Amino acid sequence: MSGALEGIKVLDLTRVLAGPNCTMILADLGAEVIKVEAPGGSDETRGWGPPFQNGVSAYYLCANRNKRSLTIDLKSEEGREIIRELAKEADVLIHNFKSGSMEKWFLDYDSLKKRNPRLVYCSITGFGESGPLSHLPGYDYIIQGMSGLMSITGNQESGPIKIGVAMVDILTGLYSAIAIEAALLEREKSGEGQKIDMSLMDSAVSSLANVASNYLISGNVPQRLGNDHPNIVPYSIFKTMDGEIIIAVGNDRQFSALCSLMGIPEIAEDEKYRTNKARVENRKVLTKILENQLQLKPSYDWMELFSKNNIPCGPIQNMDQVFNHPQVIARDMVVQVDHPEAGSVKLVGSPIKLSRTGTKVERHPPMPGEHTIEILQEAGYTSEEISLLIEENIIDAGSNKLEIKN
């Protein structure tokens, strides 16, 4: 079974999470991805830990499978020329260097498209390549604050809180993968590549969704609601006899059924709660009424009752519960791959399920320079040329320095 993107060649000059997550998605779908780093490995996540497995960072492992590693000194003209040569045959080049870096090195889109007009070129920066902040670097945490995400996360007592993972990086990686695939699809009609300008800030602002729309329509600045929903009630965490559960009631019919199951059908008929609009306006009083009833039974009993009657509800699970859950296991959301240093490594599986061209995990997250020699040989470099590049410290072949073949 071949991947949906088989035959697509990607030069990946990214590091940390947004770019690597994007290229891992492409690689899972069958694209040939070459991860480019400085000699020794310059992706910062290689050193981010603990935890490490036999010296290999868990953070690095999460976003770099199915790729090959090429290590080059891009500060040298010889190293940059290798990228230009590889870009001639590539379908995609993606980088997340600070704005202006690629232009300084003549690795920008305008320079490379002269050699390869079909190249799809994607840059990922903190603020994009236009606007007053385009010169600044971008970091997920800072963008969470600047974009408004932290202003609506947490509650009034907690103050602003960041999301528990680098969600802006993840979102930007997803948007970038969509943009690249769209450009590749359009290229089938036009025969030409194009440049893609992605930014963490843009991605974060777009993720505000209904909260942004609420502000743009009303002019009211949204406040932190903790686990509550700004537009729907009851849609939150509720205390039970022995813990907490999530109840997510999205319409009046479900609310009426919920009240009947809880033994308080009269609440659904009360004008203060009969419609969602009224429930939003009377959120605090209604929440207290519901929690008083919910504390009469343990969480499991309520969830079993609600689930049988199609009331959306669920538990709050920790990581141990998540990765031992039969649904997660059944959907192959944990995969294993053998790594030459880390040993057998467990990774989160791909959520993309295609009926004919499914995703595959065929390569371990590479060690620095693990595939430098074979990549350059495939590009037409001779053994003598590769030896000279190694001697001059232009490239690093990792542990494969003595494996050059004629």
Side-chain angles (χ1 to χ4, degrees):
M1 179 178 65
S2 60
L5 295 180
E6 184 175 2
I8 297 297
K9 297 182 179 181
V10 180
L11 275 177
D12 177 9
L13 280 70
T14 69
R15 60 201 187 282
V16 186
L17 188 54
N21 184 64
C22 168
T23 55
M24 185 176 71
I25 293 170
L26 302 178
D28 283 353
L29 288 167
E32 176 192 340
V33 176
I34 297 174
K35 182 178 179 68
V36 180
E37 297 177 79
S42 54
D43 190 326
E44 293 92 329
T45 63
R46 290 185 183 275
W48 286 2
F52 297 91
Q53 184 163 314
N54 295 333
V56 182
S57 161
Y59 201 124
Y60 169 76
L61 291 170
C62 85
N64 288 287
R65 65 170 176 244
N66 281 335
K67 305 175 186 180
R68 293 194 291 170
S69 173
L70 170 66
T71 46
I72 303 176
D73 179 10
L74 291 179
K75 295 179 180 179
S76 70
E77 177 56 29
E78 296 89 343
R80 296 192 290 270
E81 185 59 27
I82 292 173
I83 295 299
R84 296 184 192 110
E85 284 297 312
L86 293 175
K88 286 164 58 176
E89 302 300 325
D91 297 285
V92 178
L93 184 146
I94 177 171
H95 77 88
N96 61 354
F97 286 106
K98 184 178 174 181
S99 293
S101 297
M102 297 295 270
E103 286 78 7
K104 178 181 65 178
W105 291 338
F106 295 100
L107 295 176
D108 56 294
Y109 175 62
D110 288 337
S111 297
L112 295 183
K113 76 173 182 180
K114 294 175 183 176
R115 300 192 183 202
N116 181 2
R118 290 175 55 82
L119 183 66
V120 172
Y121 187 105
C122 179
S123 74
I124 297 177
T125 57
F127 297 94
E129 297 192 5
S130 60
L133 301 184
S134 60
H135 63 289
L136 294 178
Y139 301 92
D140 178 281
Y141 200 164
I142 293 171
I143 301 296
Q144 285 199 36
M146 292 184 69
S147 66
L149 276 173
M150 287 178 63
S151 77
I152 58 171
T153 305
N155 53 42
Q156 296 307 311
E157 292 73 32
S158 71
I161 293 178
K162 76 176 183 69
I163 301 169
V165 296
M167 188 56 69
V168 174
D169 279 343
I170 295 296
L171 287 171
T172 306
L174 287 167
Y175 279 129
S176 298
I178 293 168
I180 288 168
E181 289 164 344
L184 290 171
L185 188 61
E186 191 279 337
R187 190 181 69 174
E188 293 300 304
K189 295 180 289 185
S190 68
E192 297 181 6
Q194 59 184 301
K195 183 177 180 181
I196 301 166
D197 175 8
M198 301 297 302
S199 96
L200 273 66
M201 185 69 166
D202 293 351
S203 298
V205 171
S206 76
S207 75
L208 295 172
N210 60 296
V211 178
S213 188
N214 291 347
Y215 166 72
L216 293 172
I217 297 301
S218 71
N220 297 323
V221 176
Q223 303 300 307
R224 289 183 294 278
L225 294 174
N227 293 307
D228 292 345
H229 194 290
N231 302 104
I232 310 172
V233 174
Y235 205 98
S236 187
I237 292 176
F238 294 88
K239 294 179 181 178
T240 66
M241 178 185 289
D242 63 349
E244 296 173 320
I245 62 173
I246 299 170
I247 298 175
V249 165
N251 58 54
D252 297 338
R253 178 189 55 77
Q254 286 181 342
F255 180 68
S256 179
L258 173 74
C259 290
S260 294
L261 292 168
M262 292 176 64
I264 48 173
E266 68 279 4
I267 297 299
E269 300 303 319
D270 191 317
E271 288 299 316
K272 296 194 296 292
Y273 315 118
R274 191 172 60 82
T275 66
N276 181 71
K277 180 177 182 293
R279 293 194 294 274
V280 171
E281 293 171 350
N282 296 284
R283 179 194 304 269
K284 290 185 178 179
V285 177
L286 177 58
T287 296
K288 188 64 177 176
I289 292 171
L290 296 177
E291 283 200 333
N292 285 341
Q293 284 298 111
L294 289 166
Q295 288 176 26
L296 298 177
K297 294 181 182 180
S299 297
Y300 178 82
D301 290 354
W302 284 121
M303 286 190 293
E304 186 176 38
L305 176 63
F306 294 157
S307 295
K308 286 181 179 178
N309 289 276
N310 299 315
I311 302 297
C313 66
I316 302 167
Q317 300 187 140
N318 61 31
M319 292 299 113
D320 186 52
Q321 292 168 317
V322 169
F323 287 107
N324 285 286
H325 196 287
Q327 181 65 25
V328 173
I329 294 170
R331 296 289 291 175
D332 296 323
M333 288 307 298
V334 178
V335 296
Q336 282 191 280
V337 61
D338 290 329
H339 189 281
E341 289 187 350
S344 181
V345 175
K346 288 184 179 180
L347 302 173
V348 177
S350 173
I352 301 172
K353 317 293 185 186
L354 298 174
S355 64
R356 288 191 300 103
T357 55
T359 59
K360 293 181 286 186
V361 178
E362 295 185 320
R363 292 183 178 273
H364 59 267
M367 298 181 295
E370 183 177 350
H371 307 97
T372 295
I373 292 173
E374 69 181 51
I375 290 169
L376 293 184
Q377 288 177 329
E378 290 169 3
Y381 284 79
T382 67
S383 297
E384 291 74 17
E385 289 171 328
I386 295 172
S387 295
L388 183 60
L389 289 168
I390 292 174
E391 290 173 12
E392 295 180 349
N393 296 316
I394 305 301
I395 64 171
D396 174 19
S399 61
N400 303 313
K401 291 182 180 179
L402 301 178
E403 297 181 8
I404 299 176
K405 300 175 183 178
N406 291 315

